[in-house]
């Protein structure tokens, strides 16, 4: 404002009086006011507000009313501001007075706190003065009480020492027990005064009494159970009564631990002397076949001991259990020595008998005793075990004796190996009828279940013997014979195709010619029929297909059961061996068997379609005059599918996923082969109608590509009925293949989406190929454009084949190929074979998960059949023509030579 006053020109410039408030302040104002008036908004714009009030010239008519309302609002605001300003006149003075009053209150409060503190200090001093005498009296009382207690203990110790000496001499152990416990406790109390001579003397006397009592009690126990020989005077050492001995054992429990330990060690050894002598390793009764007699001896001995002397020893001594533990230790050591010396005499039956009897005995001991003394074996060469999995295991007798057999469990594993070898050989020697399941819908060989039942018994038995290295060795045996079962039983039961003998075929065919020379033409026709029939690849019969399905279902069952077996082994075996349990190789073996079976089924079904495809190539497609129903080769293919696929589906009812995989692989094999057959056809050729096969492929036009309208191939009005028939047949095949999983079934199921996708994609390409052949090649640019639109993923190789199907001349082909190369994407490449001839995907598989056996290359037998059919089709006319003129027997040799020369090597 000062600047505006100094500079007169500044009045001409607009002054920005806009007040910008912080966001939090603005939000607080909005919460308090909560006004909807546009004038109260923080982003108020006068120009917009005026435009809203007066949007046009007609609205200016009420400007006076708007101005009057504005002036009225301004007056109200001025009044409010005036009242607020007047109300704030006395605010400063009121604040100063309130502050002064607060300061005075704080001063008064501080004074009160100071007064209270001083009074509390005075009160504390008074309490200390009052309680000073009480503390002195309490201290004196405690000292007096401690002195009296010490004097009483001293009196007890002095009198007790003399009393103990007198009672010990009289062997009054029942009266010694309580005073002895008290004196031992008192003596422990006086250990802090050991520097006093009198106290030291008394402590020495107490120690001497304990030593004498220990020696005396030990001697009394030995004299009672093993009387000493008569003395020199003819008498016998004093023997205590059973009551005195019982009290003596109670006294021994109070004395030092070595006393009790020595008595127990001597007594237990005494009890087992008979056992050691009776079952010495040189005795016949000590061998494993009589191991149950060892355990029977202990049972009888414990019953006899508890009946006679069970009440003498205190219960916490656990005499019976200690005798049993020592018995187990001695038995384990003796068995170890005798088995090491006579290892060659141990067979699996004897070993399992001994282990079974021992395990039963150990289970009986676990039920009979608590195992409280087993912990004392740690560090003494014993091997106590537990049933828990944590660090604090429940003591158990399991393995206390049986651990000695672990070193010989390889005998058991070897026995299982031999048993499995015999079992697999037995399965391999079974004939087909024994292998087939009784229920035709079961689809699994019964001996497969027998094998895994045997595996389960072995695993349970081995778990009882040991879950450590023996079980791992057993796992290795399982792995070995799983592979043996797959090879010797499953793979061996897969039917084999029998290839026909070529020499036998020729000789049998020649016999037809020599049998009836007068009707040579008929015989020659029969010869050709036989050769064509023998050129067919061999196929499986229905029973063979069922057997393959049985093998596949059995392999699937084995695959699933092997996974369960692996999980169970990992559960049962010791943790140290869990990571070494791996049956993946064996699962791969069954996977390969399954893949082999599926491939055989696919190959058989594919072979059944080969003759139909060969028939397809023999049809004069360019001579078709009208489009009718589907062709004969389609009917043959459908018949083949309906005869074979339902059998496979019914016998793989429990293996739906592998049946679906079979359908996948078949269409992945058949569709490329069908497309490859299409490339061999000439459906638009317009040459002569001669009967020779050369007329189907030797049609040529005399015009160039520029004159394509005059050529048969390029004539838009040429005969394309053959292509239309092929398109109809292809659509029929597509429909059949889409329904292949449910073909011949009363229950129609929707095929999997992945299968449908493969069929649609493959057969759509076949349809596009036919449609491209139907297109005229003139004008060439339009033909190339249509070709790229219908077959966008094609290449130069396929383009060559399409031109061959249209019987385009070589010169025109070169020109069209050059034009195609200029028009097609740069990624199109030529796929050629080793000899340079282009092929169509014959070495590639279109299905996912297909193996090496899923290629669409014809097998050697199929190729030989096609070559033989082609050769014989050319040779047929020659043989028939020669048959009328060759009437003499001497010229039959020339016919044989002719046929041999025309046949492929």
């Amino acid at each position: 404002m000062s600047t505006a006053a100094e500079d007169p020109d500044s009045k001409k410039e607009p002054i920005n009086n806009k007040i910008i408030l912080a966001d939090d302040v603005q939000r607080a104002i909005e919460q308090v006011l909560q006004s909807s008036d546009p004038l109260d908004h923080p982003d108020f714009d006068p120009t917009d507000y005026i435009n809203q009030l007066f949007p046009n010239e007609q609205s200016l008519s009420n400007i006076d009313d708007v101005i009057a309302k504005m002036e009225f609002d301004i007056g109200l605001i001025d009044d409010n501001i005036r009242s607020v300003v007047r109300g704030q006149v006395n605010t400063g003075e009121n604040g100063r007075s309130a502050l002064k009053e607060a300061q005075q209150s704080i001063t008064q409060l501080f004074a009160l706190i100071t007064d209270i503190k001083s009074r509390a200090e005075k009160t504390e001093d008074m309490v200390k003065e009052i309680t000073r005498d009480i503390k002195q009296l309490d201290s004196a009382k405690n000292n007096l009480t401690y002195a009296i207690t010490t004097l009483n203990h001293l009196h007890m110790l002095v009198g007790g020492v003399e009393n103990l000496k007198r009672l010990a001499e009289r062997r009054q152990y029942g009266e010694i027990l309580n005073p002895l416990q008290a004196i031992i406790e008192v003596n422990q109390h006086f250990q802090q005064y050991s520097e006093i001579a009198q106290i030291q003397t008394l402590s020495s006397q107490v120690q001497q009494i304990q030593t004498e009592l220990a020696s005396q009690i030990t001697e009394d126990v030995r004299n009672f159970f093993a009387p000493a020989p008569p003395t020199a005077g003819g008498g016998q050492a004093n023997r205590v009564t059973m009551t005195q001995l019982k009290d003596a054992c109670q006294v021994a429990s109070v004395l030092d631990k070595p006393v009790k330990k020595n008595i127990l060690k001597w007594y237990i050894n005494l009890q087992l002397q008979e056992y050691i002598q009776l079952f010495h390793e040189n005795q016949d009764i000590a061998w494993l076949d009589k191991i149950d007699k060892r355990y029977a001896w202990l049972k009888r001995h414990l019953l006899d001991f508890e009946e006679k002397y069970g009440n003498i020893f205190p219960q916490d001594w656990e005499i019976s259990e200690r005798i049993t533990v020592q018995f187990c230790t001695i038995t384990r050591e003796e068995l170890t020595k005798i088995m090491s010396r006579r290892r060659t005499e141990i067979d699996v039956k004897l070993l399992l008998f001994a282990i079974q009897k021992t395990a039963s005995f150990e289970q009986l001991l676990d039920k009979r005793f608590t195992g409280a003394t087993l912990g004392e074996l740690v560090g003494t060469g014993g091997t106590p075990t537990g049933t828990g999995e944590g660090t604090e295991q429940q003591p158990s007798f399991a393995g206390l004796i049986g651990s000695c057999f672990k070193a010989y469990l390889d005998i058991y594993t070897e026995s299982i190996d031999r048993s499995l070898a015999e079992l697999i050989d037995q399965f391999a020697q079974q004939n087909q009828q024994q292998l087939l399941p009784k229920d035709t819908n079961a689809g699994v060989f019964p001996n497969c279940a027998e094998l895994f039942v045997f595996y389960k018994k072995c695993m349970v038995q081995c778990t009882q013997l040991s879950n450590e290295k023996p079980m791992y060795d057993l796992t290795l045996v399982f792995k070995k014979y799983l592979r043996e079962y797959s090879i010797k039983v499953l793979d061996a039961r897969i039917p084999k195709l029998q290839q026909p003998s070529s020499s036998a075929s020729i000789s049998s065919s020649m016999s037809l010619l020599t049998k009836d020379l007068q009707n040579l033409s008929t015989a020659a026709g029969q010869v050709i029929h036989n050769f064509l029939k023998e050129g067919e690849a061999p196929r499986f019969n229905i029973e063979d297909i069922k057997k393959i399905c049985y093998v596949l279902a059995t392999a699937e069952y084995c695959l699933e059961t092997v996974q369960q077996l692996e999980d169970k082994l990992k559960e049962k075996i010791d943790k140290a061996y869990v990571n070494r349990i791996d049956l993946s190789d064996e699962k791969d073996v069954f996977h390969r068997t399954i893949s082999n079976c599926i491939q055989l089924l696919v190959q058989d079904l594919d072979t059944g379609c080969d003759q139909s495809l060969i028939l397809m190539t023999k049809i004069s497609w360019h001579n078709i005059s009208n489009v009718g129903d589907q062709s004969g080769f389609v009917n043959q293919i459908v018949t083949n599918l309906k005869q074979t696929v339902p059998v496979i589906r019914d016998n793989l009812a429990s293996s739906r996923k592998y049946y679906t995989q079979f359908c996948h692989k078949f269409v992945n094999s058949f569709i490329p082969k069908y497309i490859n057959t299409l490339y061999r056809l000439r459906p638009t050729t317009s040459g002569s109608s001669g009967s020779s096969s050369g007329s189907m492929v030797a049609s040529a036009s005399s015009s160039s590509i520029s004159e394509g309208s005059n050529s048969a191939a390029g004539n838009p009005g040429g005969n394309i009925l053959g292509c239309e028939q092929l398109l109809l047949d292809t659509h029929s095949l597509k429909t059949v293949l889409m329904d292949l999983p449910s073909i011949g079934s009363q229950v129609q199921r929707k095929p999997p989406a992945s299968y449908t996708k493969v069929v649609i994609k493959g057969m759509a390409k076949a349809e596009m190929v036919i449609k491209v052949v139907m297109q005229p090649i003139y004008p060439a640019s339009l033909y190339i454009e249509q070709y790229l639109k219908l077959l966008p993923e094609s290449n130069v190789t396929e383009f060559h084949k399409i031109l061959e199907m249209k019987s385009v001349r070589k010169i025109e082909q070169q020109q069209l190929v050059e034009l195609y190369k200029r028009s097609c994407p740069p990624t199109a490449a030529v796929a050629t074979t080793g000899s340079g001839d282009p092929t169509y995907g014959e070495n590639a598989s279109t299905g996912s998960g297909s193996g090496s056996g899923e290629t669409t290359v014809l097998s050697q037998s199929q190729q030989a059949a096609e070559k033989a059919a082609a050769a014989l089709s050319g040779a047929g006319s020659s043989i028939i023509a020669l048959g009328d003129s060759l009437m003499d027997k001497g010229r039959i040799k020339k016919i044989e030579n002719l046929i041999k020369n025309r046949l492929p090597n």
Side-chain angles (χ1 to χ4, degrees):
M1 297 298 293
S2 60
T3 306
E6 292 174 0
D7 190 1
D9 296 334
S10 63
K11 296 180 180 180
K12 300 178 181 180
E13 298 178 357
I15 300 174
N16 186 11
N17 292 327
K18 185 177 181 180
I19 299 175
I20 300 175
L21 301 177
D23 294 339
D24 54 348
V25 176
Q26 186 64 43
R27 286 194 297 270
I29 293 174
E30 291 176 356
Q31 290 178 357
V32 174
L33 294 179
Q34 295 182 351
S35 175
S36 61
D37 193 345
L39 295 173
D40 294 332
H41 290 178
D43 55 350
F44 173 73
D45 188 351
T47 303
D48 293 341
Y49 183 69
I50 293 173
N51 290 333
Q52 292 178 1
L53 292 176
F54 307 104
N56 47 42
E57 293 181 359
Q58 288 77 7
S59 62
L60 293 175
S61 60
N62 62 345
I63 189 172
D64 294 334
D65 296 338
V66 173
I67 293 174
K69 184 177 181 301
M70 290 291 182
E71 290 177 349
F72 178 75
D73 291 340
I74 291 172
L76 289 177
I77 293 172
D78 289 340
D79 292 341
N80 291 336
I81 293 173
R82 190 180 299 111
S83 63
V84 170
V85 170
R86 289 175 180 176
Q88 296 297 324
V89 172
N90 298 327
T91 302
E93 184 163 349
N94 292 337
R96 284 191 295 273
S97 62
L99 178 63
K100 186 175 179 180
E101 290 177 0
Q103 290 175 348
Q104 292 176 356
S105 299
I106 291 172
T107 303
Q108 293 175 0
L109 179 62
F110 181 76
L112 289 174
I113 292 173
T114 304
D115 182 54
I116 292 172
K117 181 179 179 182
S118 61
R119 289 183 180 182
E121 292 176 350
K122 291 179 181 179
T123 302
E124 183 180 4
D125 293 338
M126 292 176 63
V127 170
K128 288 181 179 179
E129 185 68 22
I130 293 172
T131 58
R132 182 180 297 115
D133 296 337
I134 296 175
K135 287 183 179 180
Q136 290 179 354
L137 291 175
D138 287 340
S139 177
K141 178 184 176 182
N142 292 335
N143 292 335
L144 181 60
T145 301
Y146 186 75
I148 294 173
T149 303
T150 303
L151 288 174
N152 287 334
H153 287 168
L154 183 61
H155 176 71
M156 185 184 303
L157 183 61
V158 173
V161 168
E162 297 298 329
N163 188 29
L164 284 177
K165 290 181 179 178
R166 184 174 61 257
L167 293 176
E169 292 176 356
R170 298 176 182 176
R171 286 183 168 79
Q172 297 177 350
Y173 298 118
E175 299 178 9
I176 289 177
L177 181 60
N178 293 330
L180 179 62
Q181 290 178 330
I183 289 175
I184 290 175
E185 293 177 359
V186 170
N187 189 39
Q188 292 293 333
H189 174 73
F190 280 106
Q191 291 301 316
Q192 55 184 331
Y193 306 111
S194 58
E195 68 276 3
I196 301 175
Q198 290 82 356
I199 299 298
Q200 188 174 5
T201 302
L202 288 174
S203 296
S204 300
Q205 291 179 358
V206 172
Q207 293 293 335
Q208 183 179 0
I209 290 174
Q210 292 184 37
T211 304
E212 291 176 355
L213 278 174
S215 177
Q216 182 174 311
I217 291 173
T218 301
E219 183 180 357
D220 289 343
V221 170
R222 293 188 177 185
N223 288 335
F224 183 85
F225 290 105
T231 60
Q236 192 176 13
N238 294 329
R239 291 188 60 185
V240 295
T241 62
M242 290 186 63
T243 303
Q244 287 179 313
L245 188 61
K246 181 178 180 180
D247 295 337
C249 292
Q250 296 286 349
V251 174
S253 298
V254 178
L255 298 175
D256 294 337
K257 289 184 178 180
V259 179
K260 171 184 172 182
K261 184 176 181 180
N262 292 334
I263 292 175
L264 288 174
K265 183 178 180 180
W266 175 85
Y267 182 73
I268 291 172
N269 291 334
L270 177 66
Q271 294 297 311
L272 295 176
Q273 280 183 0
E274 177 186 353
Y275 171 73
I276 295 173
Q277 294 176 1
L278 184 62
F279 292 91
H280 191 268
E281 59 178 320
N282 295 328
Q283 302 294 329
D284 293 338
I285 198 175
W287 187 228
L288 296 180
D289 58 346
K290 297 180 178 61
I291 195 171
D292 53 335
K293 296 186 179 300
R294 293 175 178 267
Y295 307 140
W297 180 91
L298 179 66
K299 295 175 185 177
R300 291 194 305 269
H301 187 78
L302 288 180
L303 290 174
D304 183 61
F305 160 75
E306 291 174 356
E307 182 180 355
K308 291 182 179 180
Y309 308 114
N311 295 328
I312 294 179
F313 300 98
Q315 291 185 356
D316 59 339
W317 282 27
E318 299 288 351
I319 291 294
S320 297
E321 183 175 327
R322 292 179 186 275
I323 293 174
T324 303
V325 171
Q326 185 66 16
F327 168 85
C328 293
T329 303
I330 295 174
T331 302
R332 183 181 67 250
E333 295 173 354
E334 292 296 321
L335 289 176
T336 301
K337 290 191 295 184
I338 194 172
M339 285 192 296
S340 176
R341 186 167 59 88
R342 303 173 61 178
R343 182 184 180 91
T344 56
E345 302 179 28
I346 303 176
D347 57 14
V348 65
K349 292 184 179 179
L350 182 61
L351 180 65
L352 292 179
F353 170 78
I355 293 175
Q356 181 182 1
K357 292 296 182 181
T358 302
S360 300
F361 178 69
E362 290 171 345
Q363 292 176 2
L364 179 63
L365 296 182
D366 279 330
K367 296 178 182 179
R368 171 64 176 80
F369 301 111
T370 62
T373 64
L374 289 174
E376 299 178 7
L377 294 177
V378 178
T380 61
T383 56
T385 58
T387 58
E389 296 183 357
T391 54
E392 296 182 359
Q393 297 180 343
Q394 180 69 27
S396 172
F397 284 87
L400 193 57
I401 300 176
S403 59
C404 66
F405 299 112
K406 290 183 178 181
Y408 303 92
L409 288 178
D410 57 333
I411 299 174
Y412 169 75
T413 307
E414 293 171 359
S415 172
I416 296 299
D417 192 320
R418 292 191 297 270
S419 299
L420 282 173
E422 295 175 357
L423 190 63
I424 296 298
D425 290 340
Q426 178 184 347
F427 292 163
Q429 293 173 3
Q430 290 177 343
N431 56 39
Q432 291 289 352
Q433 294 302 324
Q434 291 176 315
L435 279 176
L436 295 181
K438 297 179 181 179
D439 185 0
T440 55
N441 295 325
V444 177
F445 291 161
N447 57 28
C448 176
E450 295 178 20
L451 177 66
F452 285 105
V453 168
F454 185 82
Y455 272 19
K456 181 180 179 180
K457 291 180 180 179
C458 294
M459 184 173 61
V460 172
Q461 193 175 46
C462 188
T463 303
Q464 298 174 350
L465 304 180
S466 174
N467 66 338
E468 296 176 354
K469 189 177 183 301
M471 180 163 283
Y472 175 70
D473 294 338
L474 184 65
T475 303
L476 297 180
V477 175
F478 286 173
K479 289 164 63 70
K480 173 183 176 182
Y481 287 99
L482 285 173
R483 295 190 293 269
E484 290 286 328
Y485 182 81
S486 177
I487 295 171
K488 294 185 177 180
V489 179
L490 296 185
D491 293 346
R493 290 302 183 272
I494 297 177
K496 303 297 188 298
L497 291 174
Q498 300 295 331
Q499 298 293 342
S501 174
S502 59
S503 60
S505 301
I506 294 175
S507 61
S508 61
S509 300
M510 289 301 101
S511 64
L512 291 174
L513 294 176
T514 58
K515 183 177 181 181
D516 192 358
L517 295 176
Q518 295 180 354
N519 194 3
L520 185 59
S521 60
T522 304
Q526 184 64 31
V527 170
I528 296 171
H529 176 74
N530 290 342
F531 273 119
L532 290 175
K533 185 176 180 180
E534 290 162 0
E536 297 180 5
R539 294 192 62 190
F540 295 115
N541 55 36
I542 298 300
E543 291 301 322
D544 290 339
I545 292 176
K546 289 182 179 180
K547 292 173 185 177
I548 294 175
C549 293
Y550 290 151
V551 173
L552 190 152
T554 305
E556 180 189 12
Y557 173 80
C558 292
L559 185 63
E560 297 174 353
T561 312
V562 167
Q563 181 60 52
Q564 298 173 7
L565 177 65
E566 181 178 5
D567 296 339
K568 206 66 178 178
L569 287 170
K570 289 183 177 180
E571 176 186 342
K572 297 294 184 181
I573 203 168
D574 188 76
K575 292 181 179 180
Y577 293 89
V578 170
N579 294 331
R580 300 170 66 179
I581 300 298
D582 184 12
L583 301 183
S584 57
D585 292 341
E586 288 64 40
K587 288 184 281 188
D588 290 341
V589 169
F590 291 111
H591 269 301
R592 287 194 293 270
T593 301
I594 292 173
S595 298
N596 186 26
C597 291
I598 293 176
Q599 183 56 33
L600 288 175
L601 294 174
V602 170
Q603 181 179 348
D604 179 75
L605 187 59
D606 206 3
T607 302
C609 298
D610 286 342
Q611 293 300 319
S612 301
L613 296 180
I614 294 174
L615 176 61
M616 178 182 175
T617 62
K618 296 184 180 301
I619 299 175
S620 299
W621 296 97
H622 60 283
N623 291 330
I624 292 179
S625 58
N626 61 341
V627 180
D629 200 358
Q630 62 188 24
S631 301
F633 78 92
V634 178
N635 295 329
Q636 289 185 3
I637 293 176
V638 173
T639 302
N640 176 42
L641 297 179
K642 288 184 177 181
Q643 289 177 350
T644 306
V645 174
V647 178
I648 298 175
R649 182 180 58 245
D650 294 341
N651 287 277
L652 293 181
S654 60
S655 305
R656 294 296 303 177
K657 62 179 180 180
Y658 293 117
Y659 172 69
T660 304
Q661 187 176 349
F662 156 76
C663 295
H664 267 280
K665 291 186 176 182
F666 171 71
V667 295
N668 286 332
S669 173
F670 174 77
I671 293 177
K673 187 182 295 185
Y674 177 73
I675 295 175
N676 221 25
T677 305
L678 286 178
Y679 288 143
R680 298 166 56 189
L681 305 181
R682 302 295 180 263
T684 61
T685 301
S686 58
S688 62
S689 57
S691 59
S692 65
S693 60
S695 63
M696 298 175 61
V697 296
S699 175
S701 175
S702 60
S703 59
S704 63
I705 189 64
S706 61
E707 300 171 350
S709 61
N710 297 326
S711 65
N715 186 8
N719 183 13
I720 60 172
L721 294 179
C723 293
E724 294 179 357
Q725 182 64 43
L726 277 174
L727 198 59
L728 174 64
D729 295 338
T730 302
H731 182 73
S732 300
L733 278 177
K734 177 181 177 181
T735 304
V736 172
L737 292 178
M738 288 288 290
D739 190 46
L740 180 66
S742 301
I743 191 170
S745 175
Q746 296 179 354
V747 180
Q748 297 296 321
R749 294 184 179 180
K750 186 178 180 180
S754 58
Y755 172 82
T756 304
K757 182 178 179 181
V758 172
V759 174
I760 292 176
K761 182 178 179 182
M763 296 306 291
K765 180 169 184 178
E767 293 174 346
M768 293 303 104
V769 168
I770 299 172
K771 290 181 179 180
V772 167
V773 175
M774 295 171 65
Q775 299 293 326
I777 63 173
Y778 180 82
S781 59
L782 181 60
Y783 178 73
I784 298 298
E785 181 181 352
Q786 292 295 325
Y787 182 89
L788 293 176
K789 184 183 296 185
L790 295 176
L791 294 173
E793 299 179 357
S794 183
N795 52 36
V796 178
T797 302
E798 292 184 349
F799 188 68
H800 267 294
K801 294 182 179 182
I802 298 297
L803 297 180
E804 290 290 338
M805 291 179 68
K806 295 177 68 64
S807 300
V808 179
R809 293 188 306 168
K810 296 296 183 181
I811 298 177
E812 294 176 351
Q813 287 187 23
Q814 294 177 0
Q815 298 175 7
L816 287 170
V817 167
E818 292 299 328
L819 181 59
Y820 172 78
K821 289 181 178 179
R822 291 193 299 269
S823 302
C824 70
T827 56
V830 178
T832 59
T833 60
S835 61
D837 297 330
T839 59
Y840 168 73
E842 293 181 350
N843 295 324
S845 174
T846 59
S848 60
S850 59
S852 61
E854 299 175 34
T855 61
T856 60
V857 180
L858 292 175
S859 63
Q860 294 181 357
S861 60
Q862 294 169 337
Q863 293 177 356
E866 291 185 2
K867 291 180 180 179
L872 288 173
S873 63
S877 59
S878 300
I879 295 175
I880 294 172
L882 290 173
D884 296 333
S885 59
L886 298 178
M887 299 301 294
D888 57 312
K889 184 176 180 180
R891 302 186 65 183
I892 293 300
K893 202 67 175 179
K894 294 183 179 181
I895 299 178
E896 296 179 359
N897 294 334
L898 176 62
I899 294 175
K900 291 180 179 179
N901 291 334
R902 298 300 296 271
L903 285 174
N905 294 328

